[in-house]
Amino acid sequence: MSSTTAPMRRLRCAVYTRKSSEEGLDMEFNSLDAQRESCEAYVASQRAEGWVCMRERYDDGGFSGGTLDRPGLKALLEDVEAGLVDVIVVYKIDRLSRSLMDFAKLVEAFDRNNVTFVSVTQAFNTTTSMGRLTLNILLSFAQFEREVTGERIRDKFAASRAKGMWMGGFVPMGYDVVDRKLVINEAEAATVRHIFQRFVELGSATLLTRELVASGTLNKRGKPIDKGFLYKLFRNRLYIGEAVHKGTSYPGEHQAIITPELWDQVHAILQESPRQRAANTRTQTPALLKGLIFTDRGIAMTPTVTKKGSRHYRYYTSMDAIRNRACEGRDSFVRLNAGMVESAVVQHIRSLLRTPEIAARAMEAARRTAPDIDEHDVVTALAGFDGLWESLFPAEQARIARLLIERVTVSADGLAVDLRIEGLGSVIREMVIPKQEMAA
């Protein structure tokens, strides 16, 4: 009688490695390699039990054991759920996790998929109550070590900030990091000073943002500056030579870019409510149609401002009304909302610029002083007028309006806009010739 032996079951072993910091990972043989070598040697020693090391690498270099948000661990758990892993091999248990609660989640996932795990340097059996107690004790110490390390790092960070030291992070505009210290970048520092000074002059982050975007000013990451960037810049005490930790300021090791006087001027403006500053901005904004808008009886309409509480309202008011000589019954209007009228006029100009007749007249006007101007460039400039207008700050919009508009007439039937064709030619040349010079 012959007897047969059942084939030994192959156990697929996944090796998981982790290192909290990135220090030394660029070495030819690093900590992850050392962990993997020890784990693979242990798997090879269990070959008689059917253990086989998987080719896939599950490595997390530079990831803390206090979280499960690690790419290597996520890939391992996905393969566990897919039934591709039988045994997980680690160098030490805290490589898998330093959190007792997180480890409980991992053990639950392993049990659900009939996966066991082995620590090469810590021998115990999790199938017994004593083994589980040993595991919990080890994990408790691992978590304790992580928390103590965190406290030590936080204390060191606070002590370093109290000495004014730079402790890393995103480098602010105006500085570079040299030998782990902040050093002034003169070109960027000049931009920072200009931003602070212009804010004091304008008193409005909105106007300043438009001005910076129109001039092509970029932040340290090479992106256009927005209001959020400005407010962060204005509140960063780094620029007056201080280091801040949890709301407390200390004298910094680095040099200041902004004087305390300029800082105080900026923050005096910021202390005003945003609504009040917006109202101030509106009252200071050049009236787009000043000197250009009239009633159908030829009476000029002038910009006026009224105030209700803390809010300001802009209007165009007939001079007859201002001088108390409005002719009752002949004019159905004496005062118009400035924002609504200006928007209607700009929209009307945009519509006119799209017509073939105006495009032809604009080409003719532009060629009177620039004979070599290309027709395609003129058509492109007219098509891009909307984008150009939105990028301009109010003073520049008012200048362009005076070039384009001969007269705006208001009547009971609506608005009539007379364009200045010569002015349109000037605007076209301003838009086209710089591009041609850049191309040349």
Side-chain angles (χ1 to χ4, degrees):
M1 178 180 290
S2 61
S3 61
T4 59
T5 303
M8 182 179 300
R9 181 186 172 218
R10 296 174 68 252
L11 297 177
R12 296 159 297 181
C13 301
V15 175
Y16 176 77
T17 64
R18 183 185 65 79
K19 186 177 187 296
S20 297
S21 68
E22 296 182 357
E23 183 179 357
L25 291 180
D26 55 349
M27 297 175 60
E28 185 174 351
F29 187 79
N30 56 43
S31 174
L32 299 182
D33 295 325
Q35 292 177 46
R36 171 167 289 276
E37 185 176 86
S38 297
C39 293
E40 288 178 345
Y42 185 85
V43 171
S45 69
Q46 303 297 316
R47 189 171 300 162
E49 304 296 327
W51 289 28
V52 177
C53 194
M54 297 173 62
R55 295 180 180 178
E56 288 77 5
R57 297 182 68 96
Y58 305 99
D59 301 327
D60 281 320
F63 289 89
S64 168
T67 174
L68 297 180
D69 188 16
R70 293 172 259 156
L73 182 60
K74 287 181 178 179
L76 175 61
L77 292 176
E78 288 175 1
D79 288 350
V80 166
E81 295 290 348
L84 303 178
V85 178
D86 297 310
V87 181
I88 296 174
V89 183
V90 294
Y91 182 73
K92 291 175 63 177
I93 288 191
D94 63 1
R95 299 301 88 191
L96 201 57
S97 177
R98 281 181 175 266
S99 168
L100 194 58
M101 292 182 64
D102 287 345
F103 201 91
K105 297 177 184 177
L106 294 175
V107 170
E108 182 181 351
F110 298 160
D111 290 344
R112 186 171 62 250
N113 293 278
N114 297 319
V115 173
T116 58
F117 68 92
V118 171
S119 169
V120 172
T121 58
Q122 297 158 324
F124 55 86
N125 185 354
T126 57
T127 61
T128 65
S129 58
M130 182 59 70
R132 287 191 293 271
L133 174 62
T134 304
L135 172 62
N136 287 333
I137 292 174
L138 289 172
L139 286 174
S140 296
F141 276 103
Q143 180 167 331
F144 171 74
E145 181 183 0
R146 177 174 66 88
E147 292 173 354
V148 169
T149 301
E151 291 174 359
R152 188 166 59 247
I153 292 173
R154 286 191 293 271
D155 291 344
K156 179 182 178 182
F157 190 94
S160 299
R161 293 299 280 174
K163 294 179 180 179
M165 298 172 61
W166 169 251
M167 295 304 294
F170 177 70
V171 182
M173 185 173 181
Y175 292 96
D176 293 325
V177 175
V178 178
D179 296 331
R180 301 179 66 179
K181 292 185 177 182
L182 290 179
V183 177
I184 290 180
N185 179 317
E186 291 299 340
E188 292 181 2
T191 301
V192 172
R193 293 188 193 99
H194 171 75
I195 290 173
F196 273 80
Q197 290 164 354
R198 284 297 289 162
F199 182 72
V200 171
E201 295 166 5
L202 296 173
S204 167
T206 301
L207 293 181
L208 179 54
T209 301
R210 291 178 183 173
E211 184 175 299
L212 294 172
V213 170
S215 65
T217 304
L218 304 177
N219 62 23
K220 199 171 184 71
R221 295 182 178 180
K223 296 181 179 180
I225 289 175
D226 56 22
K227 287 174 66 175
F229 173 85
L230 289 183
Y231 285 124
K232 288 181 180 177
L233 193 80
F234 295 148
R235 291 186 171 92
N236 192 344
R237 301 187 69 87
L238 198 79
Y239 292 115
I240 53 174
E242 295 182 0
V244 180
H245 180 66
K246 293 186 176 181
T248 304
S249 295
Y250 305 96
E253 287 186 334
H254 60 282
Q255 291 183 333
I257 291 178
I258 302 301
T259 64
E261 293 76 18
L262 182 56
W263 175 271
D264 291 340
Q265 289 176 322
V266 167
H267 281 258
I269 296 172
L270 291 176
Q271 286 177 0
E272 295 182 17
S273 70
R275 180 175 294 179
Q276 180 62 42
R277 282 191 280 118
N280 294 340
T281 298
R282 284 194 293 271
T283 60
Q284 296 168 8
T285 300
L288 192 68
L289 304 178
K290 183 178 181 180
L292 301 174
I293 185 169
F294 299 84
T295 70
D296 57 352
R297 294 174 50 245
I299 305 300
M301 301 189 75
T302 188
T304 58
V305 178
T306 63
K307 181 178 180 181
K308 288 185 179 180
S310 62
R311 301 190 66 178
H312 291 73
Y313 299 88
R314 293 193 306 121
Y315 298 95
Y316 287 103
T317 305
S318 167
M319 290 301 297
D320 274 354
I322 291 176
R323 293 168 181 165
N324 294 318
R325 65 186 188 197
C327 300
E328 187 176 353
R330 285 197 285 170
D331 283 340
S332 60
F333 50 86
V334 291
R335 189 172 69 174
L336 300 173
N337 181 284
M340 293 178 61
V341 174
E342 290 169 356
S343 297
V345 169
V346 171
Q347 186 58 43
H348 189 64
I349 292 174
R350 288 172 171 170
S351 300
L352 287 175
L353 294 182
R354 296 190 186 100
T355 63
E357 178 186 357
I358 296 298
R361 294 172 67 184
M363 168 69 77
E364 182 182 348
R367 280 183 169 169
R368 289 190 188 120
T369 53
D372 297 332
I373 199 166
D374 184 74
E375 182 175 355
H376 175 74
D377 289 340
V378 173
V379 174
T380 302
L382 289 172
F385 178 79
D386 288 4
L388 170 68
W389 182 266
E390 295 299 333
S391 69
L392 299 176
F393 47 93
E396 189 66 12
Q397 287 180 342
R399 185 184 73 83
I400 297 296
R402 280 157 180 70
L403 286 174
L404 292 179
I405 300 171
E406 181 73 36
R407 186 184 182 98
V408 176
T409 303
V410 183
S411 68
D413 298 325
L415 294 171
V417 180
D418 298 326
L419 288 182
R420 295 181 67 249
I421 299 302
E422 289 301 325
L424 180 57
S426 299
V427 174
I428 294 297
R429 288 194 299 273
E430 288 184 19
M431 295 174 67
V432 172
I433 291 177
K435 293 182 179 180
Q436 292 178 340
E437 292 176 348
M438 289 178 64

